[in-house]
Amino acid sequence: TYTKSAVSGSLVWDTRDSLFLTRRGEVIEFTGFISGGGLGGDVQDYGISLESAKYILLPFDIIFMVKGEIAVVDSWGGSDDVPIFDRLYLGGSNNLRGFDYREVGPVDEFDNPIGGSSLGYTTFEITIPVVPRVRVAVFADFGFVNPSAFDFSTSNVNGDIGFGLRLDLPIGPIRLDYGYP
């Protein structure tokens, strides 16, 4: 059981031409949080992350996207551990698509994911129009999660390649991906 009180904030730079089908522009987001101390609670940790994506429109309405993130969480003020709910993970539909949700990173003795304190990943993706409102995608994702804070060693990098389908439906966009680790 934990009690956590935290303050967080973000700075965002966004020049994308569309939120649903971005053809050009970039988005950069710097986020930080701190918990404990004068805020109260049992948890004393902090985290920072920098995430960025760049979209480039190529001939024939082909869109190239490169996206990446680096992040760190750590404890402070005499606390010796970052709670599992604040640790960093990779894997799943939003980053390393060839891996199960939270599968990439440190594990315990039973191979259960326990998260890490440093993270880095990058994604390269090209989408090609097939017919109006339908696009195919080809992608490659690479990333790591390390147990120590500020450890950006790439000795544990995981990667995947894959393909996908992008549907622009009246109810909203749908993305289907299949990644191979």
Side-chain angles (χ1 to χ4, degrees):
T1 302
Y2 295 94
T3 302
K4 180 179 177 180
S5 298
V7 173
S8 65
S10 294
L11 293 171
V12 180
W13 170 268
D14 192 344
T15 64
R16 293 176 292 175
D17 61 348
S18 170
L19 293 177
F20 295 114
L21 181 59
T22 305
R23 287 184 163 83
R24 56 175 57 101
E26 66 246 353
V27 59
I28 301 168
E29 183 172 359
F30 177 77
T31 303
F33 78 87
I34 188 165
S35 68
L39 299 171
D42 305 325
V43 178
Q44 289 195 153
D45 63 358
Y46 67 92
I48 53 175
S49 71
L50 179 64
E51 188 170 7
S52 177
K54 174 75 174 170
Y55 299 84
I56 300 168
L57 181 62
L58 301 173
F60 308 108
D61 199 27
I62 296 171
I63 302 168
F64 174 70
M65 184 264 300
V66 59
K67 180 170 92 170
E69 179 182 13
I70 57 170
V72 172
V73 295
D74 201 3
S75 58
W76 68 277
S79 178
D80 59 351
D81 194 25
V82 175
I84 195 163
F85 53 81
D86 279 339
R87 294 183 198 157
L88 303 171
Y89 300 87
L90 284 177
S93 63
N94 291 321
N95 42 62
L96 296 184
R97 293 170 271 189
F99 296 86
D100 289 337
Y101 183 67
R102 293 186 166 190
E103 182 181 21
V104 175
V107 295
D108 65 12
E109 64 272 12
F110 305 107
D111 282 335
N112 295 314
I114 58 171
S117 292
S118 298
L119 168 151
Y121 86 90
T122 188
T123 294
F124 302 95
E125 180 177 285
I126 292 177
T127 62
I128 303 164
V130 178
V131 295
R133 297 183 173 261
V134 177
R135 302 177 73 85
V136 294
V138 178
F139 60 83
D141 309 317
F142 304 95
F144 62 87
V145 179
N146 293 328
S148 301
F150 299 97
D151 175 11
F152 295 105
S153 165
T154 57
S155 61
N156 294 318
V157 168
N158 290 272
D160 62 59
I161 58 171
F163 60 91
L165 192 61
R166 307 290 181 264
L167 305 172
D168 183 18
L169 301 176
I171 60 169
I174 294 179
R175 185 181 87 186
L176 301 170
D177 288 325
Y178 178 79
Y180 180 77

